Every structure is written in structure tokens, then in C-alpha cells.
Amino acid sequence: MLSRTADNLFWLARYTERAGNVARGLGVASRMAALTARLGAEADEWRSLVTASGSDASFYRKYEAPTAEAVVHWLVFDPENPSGILPSIEAARRNARAVRTALTVDMWEALNDTWNHLRALPPEAMEGEKLADFLSWVRERVTLFNGAAHDTMLRDEAWRFVHLGTMLERADNTARLLDVKHHLLTAEAEGAVDYVQWQAVLRSVSALRSYQWIYRDRLNPRRIAELMILRPELPRSLMACFAEVAETLEAIALGHGGRRGECHRLAGTLQAQLRYGRIDAIMEEGLHAFLTTMIERVAALGGEIDAFYIRH
């Protein structure tokens, strides 16, 4: 496969997954902000969301404070934020057009229809009380695209680069989400608000019911961290994501005569660290320090994949 094609497929998947992740985060933050507004802490939810998006430095250069209006505009419309929903879908479609023949008809139609619908929507259709419906629609469209890729693509190299981009973006999102909420997971509940915030963390990765199924007990912050970091059953856990990344990179290597690089070593190291890790050891090390390292390693792994398979 040409490096340019691999690049387009990889980033097509990352931008599509990113749009869905931002929609998830915005939906949860808006519900939590309504709850914490009574406690005078509404801005904390919006501030955390901007930080989790990884674009806080750019946000504060343009906006004075993380108000609901500013954060929604930044994470939905603003063309200066490449991680926003509309810019991400636009970038995904641009990459898809460049490699349209490598995609199935279902994948292209899912993404192209999404983009055409977004362009036709007036701004007021994504604001106020209509925001929740819009975010739900975005999540559904991303799920449709992912489902089309999973169900209709040949399991060839094109599929592997799409899957690689999706899993790497998903791992980055989970690590960032946990990191901005790490203080909630390192102490026992002090009241109903803490308990609701634990629920919000799980809802951000659609894992509340999964937690109840696995642990069959009341919410516990240590178990929430364990579920989202170490449990392979959860599709959005760090363990599950890095297992998929390592397996996919190995399959790509076998298709290139067994040639491997630093990206394979780093992916294998991360997978092993999580596979044999224990939540007690992570908590003792410091959850924030652990997650910060994970975010840095996701970025490093993305750079090594780019250097070995794309820019090379």
C-alpha cells in the first residue's frame, strides 16, 4: 500500500472516532453541568472537558472562560479547533475522498451523508435544548461508520490502517478522560454528587452497564479505574485498545515481510504493561502520573507509526 493511502486511512479513522468521542464528552458534561450548577461548580465540568479534548491551550487563547456557550462553540463549530466535531468530520471526509476506492460503498455513504447533513444544519439546531439530540445523532453516525467498516471491509491492509487509527484514538480519549477526572477516582465518596460523577465517567465510555455486569456491586472508584484501564472485556479500556493496536501492527508487519520498527516494540511494551498490571500498583504509583505517561506514550506511538509506515 502506498504511504499516502495508509496516511489517509489512518487519519480518516482517527478523525471519525474523535468526533464521536467529543460528542460523548459533551453530552455527559452538559448533564453534569446542570447538576453542579446548583453547587456553583458548573464551570468545572466545562473546564475538564476542554482539558480532556487536548485543546485547552488554544481554547484559552481565544476565550476568557470555559462557559457553556464558549465550550460548545469550540468543540462543535470552531474551525480553529481541529478536534471539534464539524472540523473532524470535514477532515475525515477529506481523507475519505482521497482514498474512496479503498473504502466500501457503505463506509463512504455513512461518512458523506453525515457531512452533507452537517453542512445543511443551521447553528441553532446544535444549541440549547437541541444540543442533546444533535450529539446523540453524531454518536449514531460514527457508530454507523464504524459498523460499516467492521462489516464490509476486506481484512486487508486498508482495513488494518483504519482499525489502527480507531483504536489509537480511542485509547487516547480514554486516558485523557480518566486523567481529568483522576481526583474523583482516588477518594471515597463524600456524597451523592461524587457518586453521580462516577456514573458520568462511566457513561463517557458507555460503560455504566458493563460495570454493573462485571462487578455486580455499588460503584467504587478503584474498580472504575480498573475497568477502564485493565479489563480487556471493555472495548474502550486501555488494555483492549492497546491489545488491538499491537495485534494490528503485527498483522501489518507480516504483510511487509516481517519488517518491524520502534512502533511494534512500543505497542508490545504497552500491551504487556497493561496485561500484567494491577490496579493497586497503579494507584500506589499515582493514577495521574500513570495516565499522563499513557497519554505521552499514545502520542509517541502515533509518531512512530507515522515514521515507520507513512513518512518512510
Side-chain angles (χ1 to χ4, degrees):
M1 179 182 293
L2 291 174
S3 297
R4 186 183 303 112
T5 301
D7 187 31
N8 289 133
L9 291 168
F10 180 74
W11 281 104
L12 154 66
R14 290 203 69 166
Y15 278 120
T16 304
E17 180 69 18
R18 188 173 299 175
N21 291 337
V22 171
R24 287 171 183 273
L26 265 173
V28 173
S30 61
R31 289 195 296 270
M32 286 303 302
L35 174 67
T36 55
R38 287 175 285 176
L39 305 174
E42 178 183 2
D44 291 345
E45 296 301 325
W46 299 115
R47 185 179 298 107
S48 294
L49 182 60
V50 172
T51 302
S53 74
S55 60
D56 47 334
S58 300
F59 174 85
Y60 288 112
R61 282 198 294 269
K62 184 168 185 177
Y63 301 95
E64 293 184 1
T67 62
E69 293 76 12
V71 174
V72 169
H73 187 272
W74 177 251
L75 292 177
V76 175
F77 311 104
D78 203 319
E80 294 182 29
N81 176 22
S83 295
I85 292 175
L86 267 67
S88 290
I89 293 296
E90 181 181 13
R93 183 180 179 275
R94 185 168 59 248
N95 280 280
R97 285 187 63 188
V99 289
R100 186 168 173 178
T101 56
L103 306 179
T104 66
V105 172
D106 288 348
M107 292 172 67
W108 169 253
E109 288 183 349
L111 189 57
N112 192 52
D113 289 350
T114 300
W115 169 239
N116 287 332
H117 185 72
L118 277 175
R119 285 197 306 169
L121 278 178
E124 55 268 23
M126 311 174 209
E127 297 175 342
E129 295 180 355
K130 297 180 180 179
L131 178 64
D133 290 338
F134 167 72
L135 296 174
S136 178
W137 176 81
V138 172
R139 294 196 304 272
E140 289 172 0
R141 298 303 300 183
V142 171
T143 300
L144 178 64
F145 174 83
N146 288 340
H150 188 272
D151 288 352
T152 64
M153 281 195 87
L154 292 173
R155 293 313 192 254
D156 56 9
E157 197 161 85
W159 151 256
R160 293 180 188 120
F161 275 101
V162 169
H163 192 56
L164 190 61
T166 299
M167 291 298 109
L168 199 63
E169 187 67 29
R170 191 170 292 178
D172 182 69
N173 178 71
T174 297
R176 289 181 182 277
L177 167 68
L178 279 173
D179 193 35
V180 297
K181 297 294 186 181
H182 73 272
H183 60 284
L184 296 173
L185 304 175
T186 53
E188 296 300 324
E190 296 180 359
V193 173
D194 285 338
Y195 198 81
V196 172
Q197 291 208 355
W198 293 343
Q199 289 182 324
V201 171
L202 290 169
R203 284 197 175 101
S204 296
V205 292
S206 302
L208 181 57
R209 186 167 296 179
S210 297
Y211 178 96
Q212 295 164 344
W213 180 265
I214 290 174
Y215 295 108
R216 301 183 183 277
D217 199 359
R218 288 173 58 84
L219 297 186
N220 174 281
R222 186 173 293 254
R223 285 178 173 176
I224 293 172
E226 180 184 59
L227 177 68
M228 295 177 65
I229 295 172
L230 299 176
R231 296 298 295 241
E233 306 98 315
L234 185 69
R236 292 181 176 272
S237 73
L238 292 180
M239 175 65 229
C241 291
F242 281 119
E244 291 290 329
V245 167
E247 181 180 335
T248 304
L249 281 172
E250 182 63 18
I252 294 173
L254 292 176
H256 285 255
R259 182 170 159 271
R260 295 173 179 81
E262 177 62 17
C263 58
H264 298 84
R265 187 199 67 79
L266 183 54
T269 299
L270 287 168
Q271 181 189 14
Q273 179 184 358
L274 292 165
R275 180 179 180 183
Y276 298 108
R278 294 291 180 268
I279 195 61
D280 289 343
I282 291 172
M283 291 298 194
E284 184 177 344
E285 170 192 343
L287 184 60
H288 177 57
F290 173 84
L291 292 168
T292 299
T293 300
M294 280 291 157
I295 293 168
E296 292 171 350
R297 288 181 175 177
V298 170
L301 179 55
E304 293 297 338
I305 292 170
D306 183 83
F308 193 72
Y309 282 117
I310 298 174
R311 303 307 163 195
H312 178 77

